[in-house]
Amino acid sequence: MNATALLFAVLVTVLADNLVTIHMLGAGELANNAPDLKTAVATGGVVGSCSAIAALALWPVDTWILTPLGFGFFRVLLCVVISTVLTRVESGLIQRLWPETSGILGRRFAHLEVNSAVLGATLLAPGAADTFADAALWSLSAGLGFFLVIVLFAGIRIRLEFSTCPRAFQGFPIAMISLALLALAFSGFTGMFFLS
Amino acid sequence: MKKGKSKKGNGGPPKPKQDLAERKDILKEQESKPEEPLTELVPEEKTASEVIASESVPAEEDISPEREKETEEVDEAEPEAKAEDKPEDGSRGAQFRRLWSEELGGARLRAGRLWGRVRNKNYVRPQKGQVRQLIRRRFTYQELVGVFLALCPLVGVTASAADGLAAGLLSTLTVLGSVFIIEIFRRILPEGISSIGHVILVAGFTTALTLILQAFQPLLVEELGIYLSMTVVSCLTLERQVSPSRKRGSLFLLMDSVITGLSFTLMLTAVSLLREFLGSGALFGIPVLGGMAPLAIMAGPFGGFFCLGCVAALVQGLQPRRKPASERRRAA
């Protein structure tokens, strides 16, 4: 695989096969997040890295152990265990290494422990890649895709804070409609000739 | 005869003298008869007894010659039955049975102790007024708006109303089941790992539910795909574990879970109905738009988020406006 093919493979996963805008996973974290760039970067970093590592960790287990032995139904249980433990380990590491980031996230670590983006990435990885190298690339790109969307969405939400909208749309509804427009923008990438 | 044989096999206590005397009489009678086909069975019998001897305790060596003779009086059909019975009746089988009964006794004891620890003393019967109040509270606009956040992981299933309804009902079942299980295990779960324990229990319950569904409704499982597993991470499920309703008793908490689950199902079905109507011009699979072309864009991710936002806006818009604090004070 040459450098161009590698770049296109990453771009396909980040833009045309995004976890949030295409698979509709992790929208809760986006809507629940504070409209602040720092928090978005911290949350995106934690969730993105967790989904990448968890998907990478589960791919060999699923492909080489669970599926051949016919234990596919253990996948969800294993995903949940791996993602929860991983987030705990990561939160511990962040508290040691970057206490400031830990302060920004605060109580949100408990919510990040179980979120649909990490679980979705771990469940989607076995179907998305055939070899371990592909799986590694896919999971890293999926994490990167989540990070990109949450940071972009934080920018939109900062704008929304200063705009006036009808009472019925304030808060969650307008956030969802903005996310819908973001998803529409991202769905434009699926038709691009070099990504298809 | 069989009884005697089995006891011999077990190496159990010797028989009372009366029995022996009776058997001696019977033997004498049979010796007087010149029937000889039984001798053909002797080799088989010997092999079987050898097997027993090799496995059994040394106490068996003390068996009297009369007893050995008894073994010869067997019907033609019996040796087969005995050959089958022997591994069960042999000393190993007896040992196994004894061990098993001991284990079972131990397990019963342990289960009793565990039950003592698990036993939930939180069974308070909720009053009638409380339940009605709970239903009213859970179906207020404010609570329904809160449900939308829990609905986010399941946006993917809203393409058809039937799937949305099924996913909502399954989520309700998951919440109810997980709350029930956690209420049982709450006392024996250590505090430090309680949140992980809760998640794993919920995941286990979802896995079991998926397997059951796969047996009866494989098509539904295929349609829901990975979104069926998303009920694990839905905050509807996890929020119940820290719900303040617990203070009012386990039954109240279970009722609360059912009512919240139903409100969740209602909202999910509303979103799916709107999305299906706009995206494919149908309601529960029945086409209603006639010749008009549906909005294909609504069938994609855009439609999912858009319909969720619209329904949330509708609920929020219908919410009665709260009077400003100054006016409330004046009214009071």
Side-chain angles (χ1 to χ4, degrees):
Chain A
M1 194 184 270
N2 58 14
T4 323
L6 201 72
L7 183 69
F8 281 169
V10 172
L11 279 180
V12 165
T13 317
V14 172
L15 302 174
D17 193 26
N18 195 290
L19 271 184
V20 184
T21 58
I22 306 296
H23 293 289
M24 297 189 262
L25 298 166
E29 279 71 48
L30 265 71
N32 202 14
N33 214 6
D36 171 28
L37 207 61
K38 269 186 186 172
T39 319
V41 170
T43 313
V46 171
V47 175
S49 59
C50 267
S51 53
I53 299 168
L56 194 60
L58 199 90
W59 190 89
V61 178
D62 188 274
T63 317
W64 296 332
I65 300 171
L66 293 185
T67 313
L69 293 178
F71 289 129
F73 53 87
F74 272 131
R75 204 173 290 142
V76 176
L77 207 60
L78 211 61
C79 283
V80 167
V81 172
I82 287 179
S83 64
T84 317
V85 170
L86 209 65
T87 327
R88 283 244 162 156
V89 170
E90 208 160 287
S91 67
L93 275 178
I94 287 172
Q95 270 170 358
R96 282 270 178 89
L97 300 174
W98 301 287
E100 286 177 13
T101 317
S102 158
I104 290 170
L105 288 174
R107 287 181 191 173
R108 288 188 48 71
F109 269 124
H111 291 281
L112 297 182
E113 251 175 33
V114 272
N115 70 68
S116 49
V118 180
L119 188 61
T122 43
L123 288 175
L124 285 171
D130 296 328
T131 60
F132 186 69
D134 280 353
L137 198 65
W138 187 89
S139 16
L140 288 175
S141 317
L144 197 66
F146 183 83
F147 181 78
L148 179 73
V149 170
I150 200 167
V151 172
L152 278 176
F153 193 63
I156 296 171
R157 285 198 66 187
I158 293 167
R159 287 287 190 100
L160 284 176
E161 284 291 301
F162 295 108
S163 62
T164 51
C165 65
R167 188 178 65 95
F169 282 91
Q170 277 167 8
F172 181 81
I174 194 69
M176 274 299 116
I177 289 169
S178 320
L179 188 58
L181 291 171
L182 193 67
L184 188 65
F186 266 72
S187 66
F189 288 113
T190 48
M192 284 204 164
F193 71 96
F194 60 90
L195 294 179
S196 56
Chain B
M1 286 292 153
K2 253 190 167 180
K3 237 182 178 179
K5 180 74 189 164
S6 70
K7 283 211 169 176
K8 174 201 155 192
N10 288 341
K15 284 195 155 193
K17 280 179 184 177
Q18 258 191 347
D19 285 8
L20 280 176
E22 282 173 19
R23 276 164 200 216
K24 273 178 189 173
D25 294 341
I26 296 164
L27 278 175
K28 274 174 192 173
E29 281 174 21
Q30 285 186 351
E31 274 169 10
S32 60
K33 290 175 186 173
E35 286 178 4
E36 282 299 305
L38 286 174
T39 49
E40 290 169 12
L41 297 170
V42 172
E44 272 184 39
E45 192 56 36
K46 269 184 183 171
T47 51
S49 59
E50 276 169 18
V51 170
I52 294 172
S54 63
E55 289 176 2
S56 60
V57 283
E60 240 181 311
E61 291 167 11
D62 303 331
I63 293 159
S64 57
E66 289 94 352
R67 280 213 186 173
E68 281 196 341
K69 276 181 189 173
E70 279 174 34
T71 57
E72 290 173 15
E73 333 162 2
V74 194
D75 293 336
E76 279 182 8
E78 266 187 340
E80 285 174 20
K82 274 191 177 174
E84 282 173 13
D85 288 346
K86 252 155 209 169
E88 281 181 12
D89 293 339
S91 59
R92 208 175 263 182
Q95 268 181 349
F96 176 73
R97 267 202 299 275
R98 201 174 57 240
L99 272 175
W100 174 248
S101 65
E102 277 172 14
E103 277 295 310
L104 205 67
R108 264 184 212 150
L109 249 174
R110 260 174 270 141
R113 274 186 216 140
L114 195 69
W115 175 241
R117 287 177 67 196
V118 167
R119 197 175 50 192
N120 195 334
K121 288 168 187 163
N122 207 5
Y123 298 128
V124 186
R125 205 169 201 188
Q127 294 157 2
K128 272 184 186 174
Q130 268 186 336
V131 177
R132 204 171 293 163
Q133 203 184 344
L134 181 72
I135 294 171
R136 242 181 245 161
R137 203 174 67 215
R138 289 286 171 238
F139 282 91
T140 53
Y141 295 109
Q142 279 172 335
E143 287 282 330
L144 289 179
V145 169
V147 161
F148 283 107
L149 209 62
L151 214 139
C152 283
L154 287 168
V155 193
V157 298
T158 51
S160 91
D163 282 0
L165 183 65
L169 289 175
L170 285 173
S171 300
T172 310
L173 206 61
T174 310
V175 174
L176 184 66
S178 60
V179 165
F180 184 74
I181 293 169
I182 287 165
E183 277 300 294
I184 292 172
F185 285 103
R186 192 160 51 94
R187 283 192 165 204
I188 53 168
L189 278 175
E191 281 298 313
I193 62 142
S194 58
S195 70
I196 293 182
H198 288 171
V199 177
I200 291 170
L201 274 174
V202 174
F205 192 81
T206 311
T207 308
L209 200 65
T210 312
L211 284 175
I212 292 168
L213 262 186
Q214 218 153 25
F216 296 104
Q217 294 284 333
L219 277 177
L220 184 67
V221 175
E222 235 173 71
E223 271 183 32
L224 294 181
I226 63 161
Y227 297 104
L228 184 58
S229 322
M230 290 302 149
T231 47
V232 181
V233 292
S234 170
C235 46
L236 175 79
T237 324
L238 299 168
E239 191 196 325
R240 291 298 99 201
Q241 318 316 336
V242 289
S243 169
S245 304
R246 171 168 286 148
K247 284 175 193 163
R248 297 200 181 179
S250 297
L251 284 176
F252 190 82
L253 182 65
L254 285 175
M255 271 181 195
D256 191 10
S257 317
V258 173
I259 293 163
T260 317
L262 288 179
S263 73
F264 177 83
T265 310
L266 184 75
M267 288 298 108
L268 193 60
T269 315
V271 174
S272 334
L273 270 175
L274 181 65
R275 193 176 165 200
E276 196 185 0
F277 177 70
L278 294 173
S280 49
L283 291 174
F284 283 101
I286 305 158
V288 286
L289 272 185
M292 280 169 72
L295 290 167
I297 200 173
M298 284 294 173
F302 168 80
F305 293 128
F306 184 78
C307 293
L308 181 60
C310 284
V311 175
L314 186 73
V315 173
Q316 200 164 297
L318 288 173
Q319 195 175 338
R321 191 188 286 267
R322 239 182 140 201
K323 284 176 187 169
S326 56
E327 277 186 31
R328 261 182 285 156
R329 242 176 272 140
R330 219 176 290 158

